[in-house]
Structures are given as structure tokens and as C-alpha cells.
Amino acid sequence: MFGHGKSRPRFLTDQELAQRVRDVVPNRVNTALQERPDSDCSDRCLCHDITRKKVAELVNEFSDGSIERTNAVYVLECQWKTVSQRVVREELRLQNDVSWVGEAQKNRRLVYVGVSTRVPSRLWKHSLGRGDGANFTQMFPPTRLLSIQWFKRESDAYRAEELTAQILREETHTGVYVSQPG
């Protein structure tokens, strides 16, 4: 047999990925978003006294027990604030349109969907807000981690990121803006 008898794990189809997302993520996110948005931060927030160790502990709470926890799609709730498009373009040094700022501010809750092969490090960078995170999280800093799903293949995680954002747009309550890069 080709490959010394070892079969390669197959890629998941978009339908399989979407079902994995639908089975877990919308329920987690909707349950978390039912909490008051202006409630005091808990010790599990991403906005106060954030350290690498604290982020790693938060990530471990979403562990499914699998050994291969390298490719993940994560969902963050972000802080709502008023910021002008001009300020965003200046702070981020962007030349292109930033209409996403106005769209985000029309909603009461902000959610960011991302993907990473090094989740604790990536979430820590988002929470610092110093240019290492995404443009969206620099303008609307993350306040808490809502969900993580793990994938064996990086390609499956990137496809699942897009599907997660799409499914959350369809299945979250009104007044929630879902941002996803790319």
C-alpha cells in the first residue's frame, strides 16, 4: 500500500465543518451574550491585568482533551466604543475604506472571529492592543473569550473561521456585529 500502510487523515468538507461549528459555537456565544454588556469584568476577562499565564488558563478552559490543540478558531467579545473613521485610519495608518467601523458601532455587541496556530500568544497580542493584533481588536479591544474550536489541519481551521463568522451572523441575536478578517 502507498505510504507504508498509513492512511492520511482526510480533509473535512465545508458541510462537516459547518456542522461542527453549529453544534457548539452559536449556543456558547448566544449564552454568553445574554449577560449584560455593561456588567463588571470578572477575573476571566481579557481587559484587566492580562498576562500570558492568564490567557493560557482561559484557553485551557476550552480544551476538549485532544492532544493536537494547534489549529484553532476563536471567538472574542470586544469592547464597544465610539471612534471616528478618520481616527481609525490615522491610528492604524490605513489608506483604504474603514466603513466597518460605522457598521460595528450600529450594534450593541461586538464579536471577533479569528484563527491561530498559537492561540494563547495570539489572544495575548489582541488584548495588548499595540499593533500586534487585528485592526478590529486594536479599535475595539477584546473583553472576553467566548469560544474556541480545535482542528487537526490548519486548512480546516481557516475554512472553519469563515464558516464560524457566517454562522454567527445568521444565528446570533440582533444587535451583534461579527467581524472576521479576510
Side-chain angles (χ1 to χ4, degrees):
M1 178 177 233
F2 183 75
H4 305 290
K6 293 182 181 180
S7 63
R8 295 180 64 198
R10 68 182 181 87
F11 291 90
L12 296 175
T13 66
D14 282 353
Q15 190 173 22
E16 290 169 322
L17 288 169
Q19 190 58 52
R20 276 193 61 190
V21 170
R22 278 193 174 92
D23 286 346
V24 176
V25 179
N27 187 44
R28 278 184 184 165
V29 171
N30 282 323
T31 300
L33 293 178
Q34 287 176 0
E35 298 173 12
R36 289 184 33 210
D38 57 350
S39 62
D40 292 337
C41 289
S42 68
D43 58 349
R44 297 175 54 217
C45 76
L46 287 169
C47 46
H48 295 98
D49 303 321
I50 194 70
T51 63
R52 287 183 186 265
K53 181 180 177 185
K54 184 177 175 181
V55 172
E57 289 169 359
L58 289 171
V59 169
N60 281 334
E61 288 182 27
F62 289 94
S63 170
D64 58 6
S66 69
I67 296 170
E68 294 184 41
R69 293 184 352 174
T70 56
N71 304 296
V73 174
Y74 55 89
V75 181
L76 302 171
E77 182 174 16
C78 297
Q79 178 184 37
W80 191 97
K81 65 181 185 176
T82 302
V83 61
S84 74
Q85 291 186 25
R86 181 184 59 78
V87 169
V88 171
R89 286 204 340 250
E90 287 175 6
E91 284 190 27
L92 298 177
R93 295 186 172 106
L94 299 175
Q95 299 295 318
N96 54 348
D97 179 40
V98 289
S99 59
W100 53 267
V101 173
E103 288 299 313
Q105 292 175 337
K106 291 178 185 175
N107 296 275
R108 289 200 27 81
R109 304 300 280 275
L110 306 177
V111 172
Y112 177 83
V113 179
V115 65
S116 180
T117 56
R118 297 178 51 204
V119 180
S121 175
R122 187 66 181 148
L123 296 183
W124 186 69
K125 288 178 180 180
H126 281 306
S127 66
L128 291 178
R130 292 190 202 134
D132 290 330
N135 288 342
F136 188 85
T137 59
Q138 286 181 62
M139 291 297 100
F140 305 104
T143 56
R144 62 184 172 151
L145 178 60
L146 302 179
S147 179
I148 297 178
Q149 277 199 303
W150 302 97
F151 298 89
K152 289 182 182 175
R153 293 180 174 271
E154 186 176 14
S155 60
D156 287 341
Y158 276 99
R159 287 178 24 243
E161 176 195 28
E162 291 178 33
L163 291 167
T164 299
Q166 177 185 342
I167 289 167
L168 287 176
R169 286 183 189 109
E170 296 167 0
E171 299 186 19
T172 53
H173 306 292
T174 58
V176 177
Y177 179 83
V178 179
S179 175
Q180 177 253 335

